[in-house]
Amino acid sequence: TTMNLNLADADNRVIINVGGIRHETYKATLKKIPATRLSRLTEALANYDPVLNEYFFDRHPGVFAQILNYYRSGKLHYPTDVCGPLFEEELEFWGLDSNQVEPCCWMTYTQHRDTQDVLAILDRLDLDTDKPTEEDIMKKFGLEEEYKSGELNCWQRIQPKIWALFDEPYSSTAAKIIAVISVFFIVTSIVSFCLKTHPEMRVPVLRNATSMTANGTLTWRLEKRETEPHEAFFYIECASNAWFTFEIIIRFAVAPVKLDFLKAPVNIIDIVATLSFYLDFMLTELKQESDMLEFFSIIRIMRLCKLTRHSAGLKILIHTFKASAKELILLIFFLVLGIVIFAALIYYAERIQYNPDNDFESIPVGLWWAIVTMTTVGYGDMVPKTYVGMFVGALCALAGVLCIALPVPVIVSNFALFYSHTQARSKLPKKRRRVLPVEAPRPKGSKGPGMPGGGGGPGGGGPQTRRMNAIKHNHPGALDVKMNRIAHGGALQELMQFRSHNGEEAIPMLMLNHADGKGDNPARSRATSNADKNNGPSLLDNVTPAASFGAAPMKAPGKISFIIHPSTPKRLHPTSLFMSYPKPKS
């Protein structure tokens, strides 16, 4: 009874070899999650090894430990020593849903998705400072096929080169020189725009005014009507805008897609700033100066945004604000909510007590005070003077600190995330070694007589025979010990792999070939030739004849057959153990 229970327990177990690590569990455990790869394991699969009675999968063994634990406990946890995409790929291979990860591991598991989004944004930003190849430049123009075949016309050869000079500062030495010139004119234009408003840099406009005195004599005097910038600033503006005009025309002419060039925010700012200079010049010549037009000339300051083409840090900063748009909107919402509430409170709080010097005449006036207080600026032009008003002012200041301080760490972390990935990308090699996604299939031998599962063909080429030969060569003592245990009646579970599915016992048979090499077995295996060379001890010395188990040897021409079985069999089933043995001389 104990033997039958042990046999039944062994029959319900399954061995899975994943990446060289053997895992053993019950078949019923694998049936807990249906419609998965492990729930459909059968001995007919190519992954099944009948000699070792195990299924082999060349997958990640560390991840499989968590997957097998998912079958046992019903809870899927994320291993911290593997990357997220690898874990997803393994789950997909085993047929499991990645959304079943436990909540305690969900943040760690989904972290790689945020990283992938950041890397995708960095790819669009084009932050690489390495010299692009000609093929990379041709891809931007969609001319890679013509470039490879050498069918480019004159304009198609010149256009990418000119574009690289103005839009790829790191493509060549000439491109770096042009980038330096562009930055020089940008800085010069902005400095000139700022300095010409300084009083020391302006020239007074004098007018000769003639007037008549009380005694009837005419007098004249000089009147200072206004000041205007020094004439040198005009020539500086002309030179700077001449370069900007030339740059815009050339970049537009050689742009890969003209519409994308016109829609770029930096190009829009550059075009509007340049047009404002020409419009201001024309109105000045026509003596129709306008203060409104002079106000719009402030857009020239926005030319600083053109420096983002030469600075990766500015690009990261801009996209940090884009990535933090939700947090910024939340910050503005809470500020507006607090401003309105505290403006109303301070208006009525200052009216509760007698206050002849009340600065809060209306709620709109209180809005200005609330903005200044909540942003912790505190100009001091308006202050509460009653005790209730001071209490409201204290609450307003505390609420402002909390509203501003809460979203700021999120924005800082986004910037640190972008910047750290940018630094890491700059240190990684641009070209990785190519790995072919080819998996060698397990060989299948053709069916041969007396060899279940294959074994026919030259040299005993069946997969089971080759597996046995590999065991004999790599582990010569392990197979002898295993067969010796079987021969002496121990380790009956070694025979469990030969039990049939309908409950009948299958009897393993050990067939020892001693045929002559010149005669009836020309297709001898590689193990046979090695055994002939070594002339070492064979397995025949460790095998007990079948007669000692109550069975008679089977007769076969040129072969000695031994039947090994623990009990009276109901039917015979030849095994897949075939070992070559040299024919004795006598």
Side-chain angles (χ1 to χ4, degrees):
T1 304
T2 304
M3 182 182 298
N4 292 335
L5 291 176
N6 292 335
L7 294 176
D9 182 72
D11 194 32
N12 289 328
R13 282 185 283 179
V14 60
I15 300 175
I16 306 172
N17 188 335
V18 179
I21 306 298
R22 302 175 80 243
H23 304 266
E24 188 171 0
T25 185
Y26 289 102
K27 296 179 180 178
T29 302
L30 302 181
K31 300 294 183 182
K32 290 183 179 180
I33 306 178
T36 59
R37 186 181 293 269
L38 293 178
S39 67
R40 296 191 293 262
L41 291 180
T42 61
E43 296 182 0
L45 295 175
N47 306 80
Y48 179 68
D49 191 335
V51 176
L52 299 180
N53 189 28
E54 66 182 23
Y55 297 89
F56 178 76
F57 295 93
D58 191 15
R59 307 297 299 185
H60 196 286
V63 175
F64 183 76
Q66 298 294 335
I67 292 175
L68 188 58
N69 186 64
Y70 178 39
Y71 281 86
R72 291 168 178 157
S73 62
K75 296 181 179 180
L76 181 60
H77 292 279
Y78 173 75
T80 58
D81 58 341
V82 297
C83 192
L86 173 61
F87 188 56
E88 282 188 345
E89 183 181 348
E90 291 296 316
L91 291 178
E92 183 180 359
F93 174 80
W94 297 109
L96 299 174
D97 186 8
S98 60
N99 293 324
Q100 299 301 319
V101 177
E102 289 297 305
C104 59
C105 300
W106 184 253
M107 291 301 296
T108 307
Y109 167 66
T110 56
Q111 186 177 4
H112 73 280
R113 299 181 181 176
D114 299 334
T115 303
Q116 289 175 340
D117 294 338
V118 172
L119 293 177
I121 293 175
L122 294 180
D123 289 336
R124 293 196 301 267
L125 290 182
D126 193 17
L127 299 176
D128 294 333
T129 57
D130 292 342
K131 179 180 179 180
T133 62
E134 290 189 10
E135 186 174 354
D136 294 336
I137 296 176
M138 291 298 176
K139 284 183 180 180
K140 294 183 179 292
F141 289 82
L143 301 173
E144 59 269 32
E145 297 296 334
E146 292 82 354
Y147 173 75
K148 293 179 180 179
S149 60
E151 299 177 353
L152 297 174
N153 56 36
C154 183
W155 173 246
Q156 289 176 340
R157 288 194 300 269
I158 296 176
Q159 181 184 9
K161 294 181 180 180
I162 299 177
W163 176 84
L165 285 176
F166 287 87
D167 284 83
E168 290 289 341
Y170 301 96
S171 60
S172 62
T173 304
K176 293 180 180 178
I177 294 174
I178 292 178
V180 170
I181 295 174
S182 179
V183 172
F184 170 76
F185 279 112
I186 291 172
V187 174
T188 302
S189 175
I190 294 173
V191 171
S192 172
F193 180 79
C194 296
L195 289 180
K196 71 180 183 180
T197 60
H198 194 277
E200 299 295 333
M201 299 293 179
R202 300 182 69 86
V203 178
V205 178
L206 302 178
R207 189 187 64 158
N208 186 6
T210 304
S211 60
M212 183 175 293
T213 62
N215 55 7
T217 60
L218 295 177
T219 62
W220 61 273
R221 66 182 183 276
L222 295 176
E223 293 181 353
K224 180 182 176 182
R225 300 180 55 187
E226 59 184 8
T227 61
E228 61 181 16
H230 194 275
E231 190 177 6
F233 290 109
F234 173 73
Y235 294 110
I236 293 175
E237 287 287 334
C238 289
S240 300
N241 284 275
W243 168 260
F244 295 142
T245 305
F246 169 75
E247 187 182 25
I248 291 173
I249 294 174
I250 295 298
R251 291 180 61 231
F252 177 76
V254 299
V257 182
K258 303 296 189 294
L259 185 60
D260 292 343
F261 177 85
L262 294 176
K263 291 192 300 184
V266 176
N267 295 333
I268 293 175
I269 293 173
D270 198 13
I271 293 173
V272 173
T274 305
L275 291 178
S276 68
F277 168 76
Y278 289 110
L279 188 59
D280 187 21
F281 175 74
M282 292 175 59
L283 293 178
T284 303
E285 293 295 323
L286 296 175
K287 306 297 183 180
Q288 295 181 0
E289 299 181 4
S290 173
D291 294 336
M292 184 63 66
L293 182 62
E294 187 176 355
F295 173 78
F296 278 106
S297 65
I298 197 174
I299 198 172
R300 300 175 194 175
I301 296 292
M302 300 302 293
R303 280 204 180 102
L304 282 172
C305 297
K306 292 180 63 177
L307 297 177
T308 57
R309 293 195 295 128
H310 311 285
S311 174
L314 289 176
K315 290 183 180 180
I316 295 173
L317 184 61
I318 293 173
H319 280 270
T320 298
F321 288 113
K322 288 184 179 180
S324 308
K326 293 182 180 179
E327 290 78 12
L328 291 174
I329 293 175
L330 186 64
L331 171 63
I332 294 174
F333 173 76
F334 280 119
L335 281 177
V336 171
L337 185 64
I339 288 168
V340 173
I341 291 175
F342 286 108
L345 288 177
I346 196 64
Y347 171 72
Y348 289 104
E350 287 293 287
R351 294 168 64 90
I352 291 177
Q353 297 178 0
Y354 174 73
N355 185 11
D357 299 326
N358 187 6
D359 296 328
F360 302 94
E361 299 176 354
S362 63
I363 292 179
V365 173
L367 293 175
W368 167 250
W369 170 86
I371 292 175
V372 172
T373 305
M374 291 194 70
T375 55
T376 66
V377 176
Y379 289 120
D381 54 343
M382 300 174 62
V383 293
K385 298 180 177 63
T386 63
Y387 292 108
V388 180
M390 293 178 184
F391 179 73
V392 173
L395 292 179
C396 181
L398 292 176
V401 170
L402 294 177
C403 288
I404 295 176
L406 290 178
V408 167
V410 179
I411 301 174
V412 174
S413 65
N414 286 337
F415 179 80
L417 184 65
F418 277 91
Y419 190 78
S420 61
H421 282 293
T422 303
Q423 295 297 106
R425 280 166 53 91
S426 63
K427 297 177 182 179
L428 289 176
K430 302 303 176 184
K431 293 185 179 180
R432 302 295 184 90
R433 183 173 181 177
R434 185 181 179 188
V435 180
L436 298 177
V438 178
E439 183 178 355
R442 292 174 60 89
K444 294 183 179 180
S446 58
K447 298 285 184 178
M451 301 174 70
Q464 299 168 358
T465 305
R466 288 194 293 271
R467 182 70 169 167
M468 184 57 63
N469 291 335
I471 294 176
K472 289 194 297 181
H473 289 155
N474 299 328
H475 309 281
L479 186 60
D480 293 346
V481 174
K482 186 174 182 180
M483 296 304 300
N484 199 17
R485 292 173 62 194
I486 296 175
H488 287 85
L492 293 178
Q493 293 186 12
E494 301 283 355
L495 304 174
M496 289 307 300
Q497 56 180 313
F498 304 105
R499 290 177 62 85
S500 61
H501 297 286
N502 56 7
E504 298 179 351
E505 292 183 1
I507 306 304
M509 181 186 301
L510 177 62
M511 304 183 68
L512 301 178
N513 184 6
H514 63 86
D516 192 5
K518 302 177 182 179
D520 49 15
N521 189 16
R524 300 174 67 189
S525 65
R526 187 180 295 107
T528 305
S529 60
N530 293 334
D532 292 340
K533 295 177 182 178
N534 299 331
N535 291 325
S538 66
L539 293 173
L540 188 62
D541 299 333
N542 297 327
V543 176
T544 304
S548 62
F549 291 94
M554 296 182 63
K555 302 295 183 179
K559 296 182 179 179
I560 301 176
S561 303
F562 292 87
I563 304 176
I564 305 174
H565 61 91
S567 59
T568 304
K570 297 182 181 180
R571 67 180 179 87
L572 297 180
H573 181 70
T575 184
S576 58
L577 302 177
F578 295 88
M579 279 156 279
S580 302
Y581 183 78
K583 180 179 179 181
K585 297 181 180 179
S586 60

